[in-house]
Amino acid sequence: MKFLLPELKYAYNALEPYIDEDTMRIHHTKHHQAYLDNLNKALDGTLYADWPIERIIKNLGELPEGIRAAVRNNGGGHYNHSLFWDTMGPGGRGKPEGKLAQKINEVFGSFEAFQEQFETAGKTQFGSGWAWLILRDGKLSVEKTPNQDSPLSSGGIPILMADMWEHAYYLKYQNRRPDYLKNWWHTVNWDEAEKRYLSALNN
Ligand code: MN3
């Protein structure tokens, strides 16, 4: 079985003006596709090709050493981007509601305090990586990871994530990573984040 590129649930220009159409198209059809191609190549002919991607990312240590790094990078790339596309969308309301909103206020003090912590994680990730809101040991936590590493590999359950690789923002924002991150909030699909939070609680 080969892993396939998931379809976006919105048009490439749907996140304008915050994320531009060219960036979205190249990011999805070139970058994500390249992770997939390399993942499929690494897993070709192995039993792991039939594992769900979550199982692979959770159990990288079980993979043969010869393919582990390739799967960590490219499987992570596939998994992280699949979540990322689904947690964005047009017409975002800018703020969470419901259980996730309550818990964010409880843990971080306020939504604004959470945003600041999340942005700091993104801005201080040296080089390429991701900023995350995750559930770890039943608790909400902000973390960052380098490269395509996923918190899922260390027992965290991803709820919300921002791609901090330059390919996610360079065409429009160049070196202005903080501006990208500030605008990215407008694209968050909080209904999806809420759904993921509730399902993580039951996990
Ligand atoms: Mn990316």
Side-chain angles (χ1 to χ4, degrees):
M1 210 180 71
K2 276 191 191 306
F3 290 102
L4 300 172
L5 189 66
E7 274 187 38
L8 286 196
K9 294 172 179 158
Y10 43 85
Y12 288 121
N13 66 1
L15 304 183
E16 298 261 12
Y18 311 112
I19 303 180
D20 61 286
E21 178 175 355
D22 280 352
T23 296
M24 286 301 294
R25 180 176 285 110
I26 295 167
H27 200 171
H28 183 245
T29 62
K30 304 293 184 194
H31 291 278
H32 191 164
Q33 185 66 54
Y35 295 122
L36 275 165
D37 292 344
N38 290 323
L39 173 65
N40 285 326
K41 203 166 102 187
L43 294 179
D44 189 36
T46 73
L47 66 103
Y48 311 101
D50 292 318
W51 283 17
I53 189 64
E54 290 81 7
R55 184 174 172 195
I56 293 175
I57 300 302
K58 271 186 198 166
N59 298 286
L60 289 173
E62 290 185 26
L63 300 176
E65 228 172 289
I67 61 169
R68 196 179 302 149
V71 173
R72 176 180 179 169
N73 291 332
N74 296 291
H78 170 47
Y79 175 72
N80 294 341
H81 284 89
S82 298
L83 297 181
F84 184 55
W85 308 134
D86 278 355
T87 319
M88 293 192 293
R93 69 176 109 82
K95 274 187 159 214
E97 285 170 7
K99 292 230 158 51
L100 179 57
Q102 279 172 22
K103 192 47 98 174
I104 284 175
N105 286 333
E106 197 184 307
V107 171
F108 300 97
S110 67
F111 179 63
E112 290 70 27
F114 155 68
Q115 281 184 300
E116 201 182 313
Q117 206 172 313
F118 188 93
E119 287 180 24
T120 298
K123 286 185 281 195
T124 59
Q125 172 53 48
F126 184 76
S128 298
W130 292 77
W132 304 87
L133 174 66
I134 66 168
L135 199 68
R136 183 183 288 290
D137 302 324
K139 289 183 192 142
L140 278 187
S141 163
V142 167
E143 297 185 7
K144 56 186 173 182
T145 56
N147 307 313
Q148 292 297 350
D149 288 355
S150 180
L152 190 65
S153 300
S154 59
I157 305 175
I159 292 169
L160 181 69
M161 65 296 302
D163 189 338
M164 302 315 305
W165 285 57
E166 281 188 343
H167 69 225
Y169 61 85
Y170 201 84
L171 289 182
K172 184 178 172 77
Y173 296 95
Q174 293 86 46
N175 61 319
R176 302 188 307 279
R177 185 188 271 200
D179 292 354
Y180 154 68
L181 206 41
K182 271 258 175 296
N183 279 333
W184 170 81
W185 292 109
H186 294 280
T187 72
V188 174
N189 178 344
W190 285 106
D191 294 332
E192 180 65 24
E194 172 85 3
K195 211 169 84 187
R196 197 167 283 150
Y197 173 62
L198 296 178
S199 128
L201 285 179
N202 293 321
N203 215 301

